[in-house]
Amino acid sequence: MGVTLMFMLLATVTPFIFVQLKKKTLALIQSILLAGMWIYFIQVMFIAVPAAFSITWIMLYASLIVAEVAWVMFIIKIVNTSEKFKESYSS
């Protein structure tokens, strides 16, 4: 459960990444998915495991997938920015 919690914490940061990437619609969608993700986590930890393919189950996995996309987009932006900075610095 520790690895899952780590990915969930990284997913919690992704709306801020989307805002920095100027993708406000994706930030809003990820924020909604985060609510379902944390509700699912609380249900699993303290109540009972919800059924597979329930709304919160789908929100958990959709949130993790969208978070992965956000981190890849962020890394690509950082790499492209550093290359532009190197070019402007060397010339």
Side-chain angles (χ1 to χ4, degrees):
M1 197 62 171
V3 173
T4 305
L5 186 59
M6 180 186 69
F7 283 117
M8 289 173 64
L9 291 174
L10 285 173
T12 304
V13 178
T14 57
F16 301 109
I17 291 174
F18 279 132
V19 168
Q20 184 173 358
L21 293 171
K22 297 176 179 66
K23 309 272 188 204
K24 295 192 188 315
T25 306
L26 288 173
L28 180 65
I29 291 170
Q30 179 65 6
S31 298
I32 294 167
L33 291 174
L34 284 175
M37 178 184 75
W38 284 108
I39 289 170
Y40 182 82
F41 177 75
I42 290 169
Q43 286 178 338
V44 167
M45 292 302 293
F46 301 111
I47 302 170
V49 178
F53 302 106
S54 65
I55 296 295
T56 54
W57 185 89
I58 292 169
M59 291 176 86
L60 168 77
Y61 288 105
S63 176
L64 293 176
I65 291 168
V66 172
E68 180 182 355
V69 169
W71 281 99
V72 169
M73 290 171 60
F74 183 68
I75 290 168
I76 290 171
K77 181 185 178 204
I78 294 297
V79 169
N80 286 340
T81 305
S82 67
E83 288 177 2
K84 291 177 186 175
F85 179 73
K86 284 180 186 177
E87 289 173 2
S88 68
Y89 185 75
S90 64
S91 58

